[in-house]
């Protein structure tokens, strides 16, 4: 059975500049996801239907429900924290 073991980044604190960057990264994460879905033939629909390839999430980032934005923000935040944890710097 798969047992995910992400690197612990809980002690990493990001600067205000990097925290602000998380929102831009989150928006881009959504756009990359949406572009991929569209390329696979998915379209906007009232509910997710894998057979019809419809999803209500094929909308601009600003129009996503807050819960979906939070998912993308967490991806962005954890990616930035991992970069710092691994010893890289962002200038």
């Amino acid at each position: 059975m798969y047992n995910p073991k992400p690197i612990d980044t809980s002690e990493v604190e990001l600067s205000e500049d990097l925290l602000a960057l998380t929102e831009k990264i989150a928006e881009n994460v959504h756009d990359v996801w949406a572009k991929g879905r569209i390329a696979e033939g998915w379209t906007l629909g009232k509910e997710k239907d894998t057979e019809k390839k419809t999803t209500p999430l094929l909308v601009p980032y600003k129009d996503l429900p807050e819960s979906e934005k939070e998912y993308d923000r967490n991806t962005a935040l954890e990616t930035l924290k991992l970069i710092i944890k691994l010893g890289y710097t962002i200038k």
Side-chain angles (χ1 to χ4, degrees):
M1 178 155 110
Y2 174 54
N3 183 17
K5 295 179 183 173
I7 294 172
D8 180 12
T9 62
S10 59
E11 80 284 354
V12 177
E13 292 191 30
L14 299 178
S15 67
E16 289 298 319
D17 288 348
L18 290 181
L19 285 173
L21 181 59
T22 60
E23 193 68 12
K24 291 302 277 182
I25 294 172
E27 183 175 356
N28 194 64
V29 165
H30 174 69
D31 285 348
V32 168
W33 172 86
K35 185 176 181 179
R37 290 297 175 269
I38 291 167
E40 294 170 351
W42 286 72
T43 59
L44 181 63
K46 288 190 177 202
E47 54 189 47
K48 183 175 180 180
D49 184 322
T50 55
E51 288 183 20
K52 294 179 183 176
K53 290 188 172 184
T54 61
T55 176
L57 302 179
L58 281 179
V59 297
Y61 179 78
K62 67 179 181 63
D63 296 334
L64 285 174
E66 196 60 32
S67 61
E68 291 298 325
K69 287 181 184 179
E70 198 57 39
Y71 181 84
D72 291 333
R73 285 182 190 126
N74 187 56
T75 298
L77 182 67
E78 286 301 316
T79 299
L80 287 170
K81 289 172 77 174
L82 178 63
I83 290 167
I84 301 301
K85 171 90 178 200
L86 294 176
Y88 294 91
T89 56
I90 302 172
K91 296 181 185 182

